[in-house]
Amino acid sequence: WAHVHPHGMDLLASLGAALGALDRGLADFDAPQARRSLKWDLRQAGWIRAFINHIPEGPRRALVTRCLDDFEARVLPALEALPHGVIYNDANDYNIIVSEDGARVAGLIDFGDMCHTARIAEPAIAAAYAAMGLRDPVAGIARLIGGYHAACPVSEAELDVLHALILLRLCVS
């Protein structure tokens, strides 16, 4: 993914579809090892509050603080009522394999961050990374979510927290 440019809308939809198919396939899977403390599990993102002071005073620190406040007050309580399961949890630029022609996602690598969490974290994490560098990140995220939804339907309640989770992943990163 990191070496393929541009990231066209069909490729973004393909990423969403690949992740949705994986999550649908994992829907009945569970393992004690997946229920663990993991900093990359967005439900556990509150740990970053202790590190906010490492961001220089200014707009960036204020943005991270606002995102974390919204997460703790609104999103975290809502997550408990949403579908949960084991998710891949690591769709970043260097873990996504693209076909030789650059047209579709051919596979994923590095399954070390899998965990049992809110399922909507999967497309949120992918969207956080995939939107970087896009001329129209909102349209790109919409295509990625559309691909995911086609393979693994997303509820309105999940959509209500999606934007906040995308921002939260960027804050954690």
Side-chain angles (χ1 to χ4, degrees), residues 58-91:
R60 183 172 285 181
R61 183 193 290 186
L63 177 62
V64 171
T65 300
R66 277 193 314 274
C67 290
L68 190 54
D69 289 346
D70 180 51
F71 168 71
E72 291 173 343
R74 181 182 67 84
V75 177
L76 188 57
L79 288 180
E80 294 312 311
L82 300 179
H84 283 63
V86 175
I87 66 167
Y88 172 63
N89 201 45
D90 203 11

Side-chain angles (χ1 to χ4, degrees), residues 26-104:
L26 289 171
D28 294 329
F29 174 75
D30 199 5
Q33 298 84 353
R35 296 174 182 264
R36 60 189 170 132
S37 177
L38 180 68
K39 287 183 175 183
W40 293 109
D41 176 356
L42 286 180
R43 284 184 313 161
Q44 299 176 32
W47 68 268
I48 68 171
R49 189 169 296 282
F51 296 90
I52 288 177
N53 291 335
H54 293 276
I55 303 170
E57 286 274 355
R60 183 172 285 181
R61 183 193 290 186
L63 177 62
V64 171
T65 300
R66 277 193 314 274
C67 290
L68 190 54
D69 289 346
D70 180 51
F71 168 71
E72 291 173 343
R74 181 182 67 84
V75 177
L76 188 57
L79 288 180
E80 294 312 311
L82 300 179
H84 283 63
V86 175
I87 66 167
Y88 172 63
N89 201 45
D90 203 11
N92 71 62
D93 297 6
Y94 292 94
N95 289 345
I96 304 163
I97 307 301
V98 177
S99 62
E100 284 189 46
D101 63 4
R104 63 179 176 75

